Amino acid sequence: MPIWFGGDYNPEQWPRDVWDEDVQLMQRAGVSLATVGVFSWAKLEPREGEFDFEWLDTVLDKLHAGGVRVDLATATASPPPWLTHAHPEVLPVTVDGVRLSAGSRQQYCPSSPVFRRLATRLVTALAERYGAHPALELWHVSNEYGCHVSHCYCDVSADAFRTWLQTKYGSVAALNDAWGTSFWSQAYSTFDEVYPPRTAPTFRNPTQLLDFDRFSSDELLDCYRGEAEILRAATPDIPITTNFMGWFKPVDYWKWAAEIDVISDDSYPDPTDPLSPATGAMTRDLMRSLRKGQPWLLMEQAPSAVNWRAHNAPKAPGQQRAWSYQSVARGADGILYFQWRQSVAGAEKFHSGLLPHAGTDSRVWRESEQLGGELAALAEVVGTRVAARVAIMFDWDSLWSIEQGATPAQQSYFEGIFAWYREFFTRNVMVDFVSPSFSLDGYDLVVVPSLFVATAAATENLDAHARSGGQLLVTYQTAITDENARITAGGYLGALQRTLGVRIEEFAPLAVPVYSSEIPTVELAGTLLGDASGELWSEYLHAKGARVEATFTTGALAGWPALTRNDVGTGAAWYVATRPDAAARGRLIEHLLGEAGIEFALEQSGLEVVRRGELTFVINHGAAPAAVPVAGTDVLSGASSPGLTLDSQGVAIIRADS
Ligand code: GLA
């Protein structure tokens, strides 16, 4: 099996005489996998119940003859006009009660029985027709679930929500208890009185919001499941994927990943953002982590510019290659794009394609051709793993809860995760992400940024990690509520108070001045951190057995603990009551890596160094040339290191000389 190379192929946008040229050019570019039919429902079923497969037969046969494998989409992501015209109740409704129109894409309510019935009929027909096609490599269910419509507030959704709640709670009394409906006269006497959390006069019930987020993710998962079950029954040996969208808030990918054979991701970091190499790496690491290290596919990226930002800068020369190797280094077994041939009509005609409007005499084509050729020669990478000794805990319940509003402070959970992740990235230390229920065995350092919602099982998991010899770093805003959004029994941090040896008396988030974009800070000091500032947050914290490693030094909090360490079992549990500034975060992370016995090298020059299997990938994201800091031979160029220098966007893949 090669490293897959290719992308979305939409032949229905082109006359037939282009199809042969497509296949020839795919061969020239080294395309090995094409995702076909993602938005072709209207073409496959032009009228309700009337199927036209002839064109797709031809396309698949041509691809097969050309040696291109097919990732066949179920085509259900964009219901055709006849469907929404005949069944307008399928159209989704926003939180404000606006029914969305057709004429774009993803115009369906995930709970709609009509949509599901018609979607599964199409999928059944596709599975029957193409299940045995020799080009079929992978099934691609729908497209980017929840991208445009993740929550639907229509009456059909309201009924489905009630059923979901009934299954979850069993009785309305249990729901009232979990939701705390004694507050603001919200007690329900039957499930019929419960609605989705539509726009209301002021704050809506937090547990209702959290349950609706869970329900909405589950409804989309049910749509996926409905299609996947048909495909699995028809073709048990063909793997199934659906494309994710990185750190996507509405869908709980931990839960979904268990039901997906191959994780795949669509990723569009901003080519002009200097943080993109780090945010990109964080996304790759999440994708690899979703199925505990299993290789994944970069299902979509842009060959150059996208069309959906306000200003769509192209990728710099070499950038798509450098970023592609970042994915391979971090566990991807396929590099695919949106899309093969740049469209000439429709909303994405200004989105780059592997085959641009300018044709093959273009930078984008030449760069793609080069990469396709290189990846074809790298089969030895396929299936190899990436090892990490550091884990960062991440959780969708916490994301949904912390960003609800009516909380102590408005915070971005992703930004909080990234702040800690980045310190590992700049030191070239590999990180896995873990869900609160994952085993932490094998990790020497676990970082827990603001795990706002924590179950008793999650806090036990963290406690066991520290007691059995691990380093554990827990930040402020962790275990504030249980899974029902109720304040944790025993007070903030719950059972972690004992693990960490601290007690929180009161939160003191730092106010953001109305007319300032600056992050508010508070001063702190300690031997380990030196003089530093804390960002966004502070609190009145008591050390109850923990050693105080840093204290706040100014204002009302002067003298109160900011960083503590508690030795438990054979490990240590650290708590930080603010977010130390970047330099201090770096010092703290270096100290914890030292305690955990993990080596690191602070890379000032923008060099990313990642070990996958037996190979070390070195990528120069910096502007200046940089020397490869690993000894061996570059499998891409045959050059030896030391003595090998990479230009900006340059890549080397080093095999140690034996
Ligand atoms: C997403 C979609 C594609 C296309 C691209 C454009 O990833 O899946 O169909 O719209 O965005 O960037």
Side-chain angles (χ1 to χ4, degrees), residues 8 10 38-39 105-106 140 143-144 147-148 243-245 265-268 299-302 305-308 338-339 348 351-352:
D8 278 33
N10 298 305
V38 175
F39 295 106
R105 64 175 176 184
Q106 232 177 69
H140 184 293
N143 192 64
E144 295 193 334
C147 176
H148 309 299
N243 43 348
F244 286 170
M245 288 160 286
D265 190 45
D266 298 351
S267 185
Y268 294 90
M299 183 58 79
E300 289 183 26
Q301 64 172 337
V306 298
N307 68 310
W308 40 261
F338 181 85
Q339 61 177 330
E348 292 183 326
H351 193 291
S352 57

Side-chain angles (χ1 to χ4, degrees), residues 307-585:
N307 68 310
W308 40 261
R309 293 194 172 96
H311 303 280
N312 297 293
K315 283 183 173 164
Q319 202 173 37
Q320 65 135 313
R321 176 171 175 266
W323 288 10
S324 298
Y325 279 117
Q326 178 184 66
S327 288
V328 176
R330 292 174 185 272
D333 275 357
I335 298 298
L336 304 146
Y337 296 78
F338 181 85
Q339 61 177 330
W340 161 249
R341 193 185 272 271
Q342 187 170 17
S343 302
V344 290
E348 292 183 326
K349 59 181 177 289
F350 296 115
H351 193 291
S352 57
L354 286 169
L355 183 54
H357 292 155
T360 54
D361 186 10
S362 62
R363 173 182 80 88
V364 169
W365 172 265
R366 280 187 286 273
E367 289 190 27
S368 309
E369 206 180 6
Q370 180 194 342
L371 181 61
E374 287 176 1
L375 293 178
L378 276 177
E380 67 178 297
V381 173
V382 173
T384 58
R385 299 267 172 156
V386 179
R389 292 172 61 193
V390 176
I392 296 180
M393 192 166 277
F394 172 78
D395 165 53
W396 264 268
D397 276 357
S398 292
L399 167 62
W400 292 331
S401 298
I402 209 167
E403 296 186 355
Q404 264 186 8
T407 49
Q410 296 291 304
Q411 295 180 55
S412 158
Y413 185 50
F414 288 142
E415 209 241 327
I417 300 273
F418 178 63
W420 292 99
Y421 175 85
R422 196 178 164 195
E423 298 308 321
F424 295 103
F425 176 76
T426 54
R427 288 167 180 76
N428 283 311
V429 173
M430 183 51 68
V431 169
D432 280 349
F433 289 94
V434 289
S435 101
S437 64
F438 274 23
S439 162
L440 301 175
D441 289 353
Y443 296 112
D444 297 301
L445 168 59
V446 174
V447 180
V448 186
S450 301
L451 186 75
F452 196 80
V453 178
T455 61
T459 56
E460 272 164 34
N461 197 15
L462 295 173
D463 182 75
H465 168 74
R467 281 182 203 282
S468 59
Q471 298 290 314
L472 171 70
L473 172 64
V474 173
T475 85
Y476 63 93
Q477 291 286 273
T478 291
I480 303 306
T481 76
D482 65 14
E483 58 272 41
N484 289 327
R486 299 176 74 99
I487 297 301
T488 306
Y492 309 138
L493 287 171
L496 285 176
Q497 291 172 11
R498 214 184 52 241
T499 315
L500 297 161
V502 297
R503 182 176 77 86
I504 298 166
E505 183 182 320
E506 188 183 356
F507 302 144
L510 306 176
V512 181
V514 177
Y515 295 111
S516 166
S517 56
E518 289 194 4
I519 296 177
T521 57
V522 58
E523 302 308 305
L524 55 113
T527 323
L528 202 157
L529 295 184
D531 287 336
S533 40
E535 298 170 348
L536 300 166
W537 189 267
S538 62
E539 59 194 14
Y540 291 89
L541 182 76
H542 296 272
K544 292 280 185 185
R547 202 163 74 213
V548 178
E549 295 280 354
T551 48
F552 294 108
T553 54
T554 47
L557 276 158
W560 286 76
L563 174 69
T564 60
R565 171 192 175 133
N566 199 31
D567 291 320
V568 284
T570 50
W574 300 74
Y575 182 75
V576 64
T578 182
R579 192 173 83 193
D581 63 78
R585 269 198 310 277

